Amino acid sequence: MELIEGVEASKKNLIFKRNKRKLANEIVDNLIKIHSVHNDKYGPIDNAVYNSWYEYYENFAKETVSFTNNSDVSNTVKKAVNAAYEKLPKILGNDKNNATLSHGDYWLPNFIIDTKNMSLKGVIDPFNVMWTEPEYELFTLTVGHGKNLHLYDIYKSKVKTTENCDIKIELYALFNELLWYKILGKIGFVYLEYRSRRLLKAIEKM
């Protein structure tokens, strides 16, 4: 354990601070550094036994679809997860990247910020750390104030993304939110609807 001076990056008053662009670049550069660590297998950090990301994620997606179809979420959410699972081979099957270290919960409440110079001091609370495909946790850059900081756009200006990156962002965001619902037993249904509509729209464009 280590004490890190600063405040969490989700504080609303940070939105109005100067040097937001500097902070946003530091957040993105730190994620790129995390993603520079690779492995030859995919899966949980302590049990990476899968030869491909698709092999791992297809099992997770199948379980998520089953859970969703038997839950009390709306028909829009169910339609989105079923449509995504049907297209999963096309969305994920062509990725040939190395397994990449992922933090698992890389979003603003887990960033510690020095408000004097708007610099990133630390990243806390890794959740479900895994060896994933490189674009797996990019959806975390699009949630909360991360959207206001344009984190995803900054990332894409620094790293060449795959053809399906945008749709993967929507898929991972929705399925990850459903994982939280499965674990916690409660969720923001409005946000589920929002991500489901975005995913359905992305699938229609394929």
Side-chain angles (χ1 to χ4, degrees):
M1 298 293 289
E2 177 186 355
L3 175 64
I4 304 175
E5 295 290 346
V7 301
E8 66 175 65
S10 58
K11 295 291 184 182
K12 289 186 178 180
N13 64 334
L14 291 181
I15 300 176
F16 306 103
K17 294 274 189 177
R18 291 184 175 183
N19 298 321
K20 287 189 299 184
R21 186 77 177 184
K22 171 180 175 291
L23 174 61
N25 274 280
E26 289 183 0
I27 290 171
V28 170
D29 288 343
N30 185 69
L31 182 62
I32 292 172
K33 186 174 182 180
I34 293 173
H35 287 177
S36 69
V37 182
H38 299 293
N39 191 38
D40 59 351
K41 297 284 185 178
Y42 297 82
I45 195 71
D46 58 349
N47 189 34
V49 297
Y50 295 89
N51 292 318
S52 72
W53 173 244
Y54 180 81
E55 181 185 357
Y56 168 79
Y57 200 82
E58 195 277 335
N59 289 327
F60 167 76
K62 186 176 182 179
E63 293 175 3
T64 303
V65 170
S66 177
F67 165 77
T68 303
N69 287 331
N70 289 286
S71 72
D72 58 350
V73 300
S74 71
N75 288 332
T76 300
V77 178
K78 292 177 181 179
K79 181 180 178 181
V81 296
N82 283 289
Y85 185 70
E86 182 181 344
K87 298 285 187 180
L88 201 65
K90 185 175 181 180
I91 297 172
L92 300 184
N94 293 326
D95 285 343
K96 309 256 185 234
N97 295 298
N98 293 328
T100 298
L101 181 66
S102 67
H103 174 277
D105 202 13
Y106 197 83
W107 72 313
L108 271 71
N110 290 333
F111 304 149
I112 304 300
I113 307 301
D114 180 346
T115 56
K116 291 181 180 178
N117 57 17
M118 288 291 280
S119 63
L120 179 66
K121 301 299 291 184
V123 182
I124 62 172
D125 200 22
F127 169 76
N128 197 25
V129 179
M130 294 191 299
W131 297 105
T132 70
E133 64 109 340
E135 295 170 347
Y136 169 67
E137 65 181 344
L138 297 187
F139 76 90
T140 62
L141 304 180
T142 70
V143 301
H145 298 319
K147 185 177 181 180
N148 297 328
L149 289 172
H150 308 289
L151 297 180
Y152 182 47
D153 293 331
I154 293 172
Y155 180 91
K156 290 199 293 184
S157 73
K158 296 172 181 282
V159 177
K160 182 176 176 56
T161 56
T162 64
E163 180 181 357
N164 288 335
C165 187
D166 290 345
I167 190 171
K168 287 192 291 184
I169 295 301
E170 301 306 328
L171 185 153
Y172 293 143
L174 178 58
F175 278 58
N176 190 74
E177 200 70 13
L178 288 164
L179 171 62
W180 280 113
Y181 185 30
K182 185 178 181 180
I183 293 173
L184 300 177
K186 57 182 180 179
I187 204 68
F189 287 105
V190 173
Y191 185 68
L192 278 181
E193 288 280 329
Y194 166 73
R195 280 295 181 177
S196 295
R197 289 192 298 269
R198 287 179 61 90
L199 178 55
L200 285 169
K201 188 175 181 179
I203 290 172
E204 289 175 1
K205 292 180 178 179
M206 289 187 68

